Amino acid sequence: DVKVTQSSRYLVKRTGEKVFLECVQDMDHENMFWYRQDPGLGLRLIYFSYDVKMKEKGDIPEGYSVSREKKERFSLILESASTNQTSMYLCASRGGQGHGYTFGSGTRLTVV
Amino acid sequence: AQSVTQLGSHVSVSEGALVLLRCNYSSSVPPYLFWYVQYPNQGLQLLLKYTSAATLVKGINGFEAEFKKSETSFHLTKPSAHMSDAAEYFCAVSGGSNDYKLSFGAGTTVTVRA
């Protein structure tokens, strides 16, 4: 089975800090994604990457950036964390056309 | 652009009763459709997917869904609910084979009464 591993389950950061969320997949998938999940809003796409060093903005990219230097790793960066970025962050990878995504267990980020 | 609407944010069923979760989609191209389940404090797990083959799709844990193009629907059903089905369920759509992105509905939380 594909595994998508997010480095932290829970994080607490202070307003203004630079925050790195890490995601690693072990099945050589080309496509990787970062979503945030908020009650009543479902999952909203922040950024995605369809190949190494390639990235595209999703629906809500403001305040975020990403890095994909290696195929297996996709990092989400909060340049200056704010309280409205308190959320559950989910990473996913996709194994080709018509395949569903495989999700990590999520990182619950609290910004205080 | 593609989008989905899930009707009902909460559904409560008795153990052994039918589970019916509604999803309607909007897509300008033939869609691919997915249902995911999320248990507390976990990521999302794929239940089933429709990718333009059979319109009745069977998934894991006894769930199935039927693609109805005329109604733009992809409702999820399970004939007999089990306590372990208590979770949040998400419908998602992508714009066919050339679309990288999944768009999700807001989710439906299912509770199962003993």
Side-chain angles (χ1 to χ4, degrees):
Chain A
D1 280 352
V2 178
K3 265 201 124 165
V4 177
T5 303
Q6 295 183 231
S7 54
S8 304
R9 291 299 302 273
Y10 299 94
L11 275 180
V12 179
K13 297 292 182 181
R14 294 194 180 278
T15 301
E17 276 193 75
K18 190 169 186 176
V19 181
F20 293 84
L21 303 183
E22 306 289 345
C23 175
V24 176
Q25 51 97 0
D26 66 358
M27 278 299 290
D28 204 35
H29 286 173
E30 291 185 349
N31 308 152
M32 295 188 74
F33 308 81
W34 275 106
Y35 286 86
R36 66 176 281 176
Q37 181 181 12
D38 300 287
L41 297 177
L43 280 74
R44 293 178 291 167
L45 181 64
I46 305 171
Y47 266 97
F48 68 102
S49 169
Y50 51 89
D51 206 345
V52 177
K53 296 190 185 293
M54 309 299 284
K55 61 186 179 185
E56 282 200 28
K57 294 180 180 179
D59 300 318
I60 51 164
E62 296 79 18
Y64 303 95
S65 62
V66 290
S67 172
R68 188 146 180 226
E69 297 296 318
K70 294 185 178 181
K71 196 171 190 178
E72 67 270 17
R73 186 179 296 271
F74 191 35
S75 303
L76 179 69
I77 304 157
L78 286 67
E79 299 290 343
S80 177
S82 64
T83 55
N84 63 13
Q85 292 178 309
T86 292
S87 186
M88 170 71 89
Y89 290 88
L90 290 165
C91 175
S93 72
R94 175 177 177 261
Q97 294 177 356
H99 291 260
Y101 291 11
T102 299
F103 283 84
S105 298
T107 296
R108 187 167 295 280
L109 173 67
T110 302
V111 182
V112 298
Chain B
Q2 285 65 239
S3 66
V4 293
T5 301
Q6 291 182 241
L7 301 176
S9 58
H10 290 87
V11 169
S12 179
V13 298
S14 297
E15 194 173 18
L18 171 72
V19 180
L20 170 60
L21 304 183
R22 300 179 188 274
C23 173
N24 288 91
Y25 70 90
S26 172
S27 178
S28 56
V29 297
Y32 285 0
L33 291 155
F34 305 83
W35 275 100
Y36 284 86
V37 61
Q38 185 180 34
Y39 299 103
N41 298 314
Q42 295 187 25
L44 275 68
Q45 179 183 0
L46 181 66
L47 273 178
L48 49 80
K49 62 183 179 184
Y50 167 78
T51 57
S52 75
T55 56
L56 182 62
V57 181
K58 294 188 184 298
I60 62 172
N61 301 340
F63 284 94
E64 63 181 36
E66 186 172 9
F67 173 71
K68 291 187 177 181
K69 184 178 178 180
S70 61
E71 298 177 9
T72 61
S73 69
F74 191 57
H75 302 331
L76 182 71
T77 59
K78 182 173 180 177
S80 177
H82 191 271
M83 298 299 288
S84 61
D85 295 326
E88 190 163 19
Y89 294 79
F90 292 93
C91 183
V93 64
S94 71
S97 61
N98 293 321
D99 189 359
Y100 296 106
K101 299 185 292 182
L102 275 182
S103 296
F104 286 84
T108 299
T109 299
V110 172
T111 57
V112 182
R113 304 185 304 273

